[in-house]
Amino acid sequence: MIGPPERAAGEQIALLRSVGYAAFGRHERDLDVLDVVFDSLVDAPDSGDVRRLRFAGYGITLDVDVHGQTDLTVELRVSPSGPVMVESRGADDGPTAARLVSFLLHWPGSTQRPVRTAWIML
């Protein structure tokens, strides 16, 4: 049974996703957007201290492990593997700006189209 905290987290994720898609549509038409397909806060709330996220789409998967609650350590794994550059971008205003993030992936010297993850609150 889904309780109020899980429902609130799910609503927050849906809101951030819709805001992120709207922002991408206005500013970054040359990017594809990877959607959140797994978030341990919602999909496995009793999974421990590490928050696990999975973004997927367009034949690409990005797994993100977030350690800590105040001092965050973030581990990323991209599939398929190979030379890839990853940039993180955060929102620039509001009290939660430092925790709102999206990752940009691009492959130097490749014809692979760049992708960005949906915005997520870490």
Side-chain angles (χ1 to χ4, degrees):
M1 176 172 234
I2 296 177
E6 292 85 6
R7 184 173 295 115
E11 290 170 1
Q12 182 181 34
I13 289 167
L15 174 64
L16 291 173
R17 183 179 301 135
S18 66
V19 169
Y21 279 129
F24 295 139
R26 287 191 308 268
H27 301 292
E28 298 177 306
R29 296 186 193 281
D30 59 337
L31 297 176
D32 291 324
V33 178
L34 303 180
D35 201 9
V36 179
V37 296
F38 178 83
D39 183 344
S40 62
L41 283 181
V42 175
D43 300 314
D46 297 326
S47 62
D49 294 336
V50 177
R51 181 178 178 194
R52 294 184 181 354
L53 298 152
R54 175 169 279 180
F55 298 90
Y58 307 94
I60 299 161
T61 302
L62 175 65
D63 289 308
V64 180
D65 291 349
V66 182
H67 304 267
Q69 293 183 9
T70 54
D71 292 325
L72 299 180
T73 300
V74 179
E75 296 177 37
L76 306 171
R77 290 176 306 285
V78 179
S79 178
S81 62
V84 62
M85 293 185 66
V86 179
E87 298 175 32
S88 64
R89 299 226 176 128
D92 29 3
D93 59 2
T96 59
R99 308 278 310 248
L100 184 62
V101 67
S102 175
F103 298 100
L104 171 67
L105 289 72
H106 55 96
W107 292 261
S110 170
T111 58
Q112 173 69 45
R113 185 175 163 103
V115 297
R116 176 174 300 286
T117 65
W119 287 92
I120 193 77
M121 186 76 68
L122 294 183

